């Protein structure tokens, strides 16, 4: 059966907007998310546009700050400092990837961790890894929300994570092994140096595929009844589409879906949940729920 991320995301956005309406009625400030977008990468443009639209749907204020590719690291760091100090901004993100001449790590560490609604700052990553309240990065948090909303059993499950990126693989593996529900799974992380991926995957109750390799997970790697979470969003050229491309997941959906108990489609699975997790984090930031003012 299909895990409908689009529907769950719509439900959560409605819940958030109701909360915002109540907050405003009680005299609170409207939550405010800022986003910095550098350059014109097609994927980044789309993601940021979706984030701005989601802010509107949730009743948040949003500010988009754009720079060309040739912005200096110094100027970007100055802008981050301004946002850190701006009391009207509750949280902000710098859309990744950044041009090669800018250190992503330096940028991430320049963000005040109390406004780091992407959950990329080492303080948030560290707190997450030891189970303390923090901003959890959006894609892993979105995946956990889907597992929770669909009541998918995770305790003691064999969960295989494909990919070890800082944005998805590492944090989702960490969350899935923590002693909470969803989670409490036995987690195996596979990556480019893993020798027997097929064997490992075929033991999995849950596969979380975050490699960025279109159609990597084939039917013969999946056991009957497995739960498949597809995080892949590779743009594959497609002349039949107006945009000239289609989004392709890491799973050979057509052949894998019939074997699964649950599967996320691409698009409409994890993607919308990522955006909604960012909205949830922004609300937490506005209310100072994680870090006191
Ligand atoms: N690039 C890909 N995913 C993300 C994300 O969740 N946040 C930011 N800032 N950049 C990204």
């Amino acid at each position: 059966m299909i895990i409908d991320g689009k529907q769950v995301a719509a439900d959560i956005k409605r819940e958030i907007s109701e909360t915002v309406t109540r907050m405003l009625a009680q005299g609170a400030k409207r939550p405010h998310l800022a986003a910095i977008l550098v350059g014109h990468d097609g994927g980044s443009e789309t993601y940021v546009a979706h984030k701005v639209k989601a802010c509107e749907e949730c009743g948040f204020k949003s500010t988009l700050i754009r720079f060309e590719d040739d912005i200096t690291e110094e100027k970007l760091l100055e802008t981050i400092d301004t946002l850190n100090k701006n009391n009207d901004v509750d949280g902000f993100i710098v859309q990744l990837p950044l041009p090669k001449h800018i250190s992503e790590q330096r940028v991430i560490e320049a963000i005040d961790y109390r406004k780091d609604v992407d959950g990329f700052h080492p303080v948030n990553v560290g707190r997450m890894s030891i189970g303390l309240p923090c901003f959890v990065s959006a894609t892993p948090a979105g995946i956990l929300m889907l597992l929770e909303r669909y009541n998918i059993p995770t305790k003691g499950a064999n969960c295989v994570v494909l990919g070890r990126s800082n944005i998805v693989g590492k944090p989702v593996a960490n969350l899935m092994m923590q002693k909470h529900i969803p989670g409490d799974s036995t987690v195996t992380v596979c990556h480019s140096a893993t020798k027997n991926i097929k064997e490992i995957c075929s033991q999995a109750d849950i596969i979380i595929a975050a490699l960025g390799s279109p159609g990597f997970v084939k039917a013969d790697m999946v056991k009957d009844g497995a739960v498949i979470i597809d995080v892949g969003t590779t743009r594959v050229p497609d002349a039949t589409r107006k945009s000239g491309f289609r989004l392709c997941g890491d799973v050979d959906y057509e052949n894998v879906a019939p074997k699964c108990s649950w599967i996320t489609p691409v698009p409409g699975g994890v993607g919308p949940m990522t955006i909604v997790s960012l909205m949830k984090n922004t609300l937490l930031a506005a209310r100072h729920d994680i870090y006191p003012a």
Side-chain angles (χ1 to χ4, degrees), residues 36 44 47 51 93-97 118 120 137-139 167-168 274 278:
I36 301 178
S44 294
Y47 296 139
K51 290 170 186 178
I93 64 156
V94 180
Q95 188 66 28
L96 304 178
D118 254 334
F120 292 166
S137 59
T139 303
I167 292 185
V168 186
T274 297
L278 179 66

Side-chain angles (χ1 to χ4, degrees), residues 16 33 51 55 60 92-93 95 117-119 136-138 141 145 273-283:
I16 294 173
L33 173 71
K51 290 170 186 178
C55 281
F60 296 174
F92 66 97
I93 64 156
Q95 188 66 28
V117 284
D118 254 334
V136 176
S137 59
M145 268 190 262
M273 293 304 297
T274 297
I275 310 267
V276 117
S277 305
L278 179 66
M279 299 300 119
K280 276 193 128 178
N281 278 348
T282 303
L283 187 61

Side-chain angles (χ1 to χ4, degrees), residues 177-238:
M177 75 168 180
Q178 301 265 343
K179 201 162 182 160
H180 56 51
I181 302 293
D184 221 1
S185 298
T186 304
V187 179
T188 307
V189 180
C190 298
H191 46 74
S192 51
T194 302
K195 289 195 179 112
N196 47 347
I197 288 195
K198 187 172 159 183
E199 241 167 76
I200 294 169
C201 285
S202 57
Q203 310 268 315
D205 302 304
I206 302 170
I207 296 177
I208 301 174
L211 296 154
S213 174
F216 180 91
V217 178
K218 302 274 189 287
D220 65 356
M221 298 165 72
V222 174
K223 91 172 173 190
D224 282 329
V227 175
I228 309 287
I229 307 292
D230 189 348
V231 189
T233 53
T234 309
R235 287 179 163 201
V236 174
D238 184 342

Side-chain angles (χ1 to χ4, degrees), residues 19 51 64 106 154 164 177 258 270:
T19 305
K51 290 170 186 178
L64 173 57
R106 216 170 284 144
T154 58
R164 55 176 157 184
M177 75 168 180
V270 174

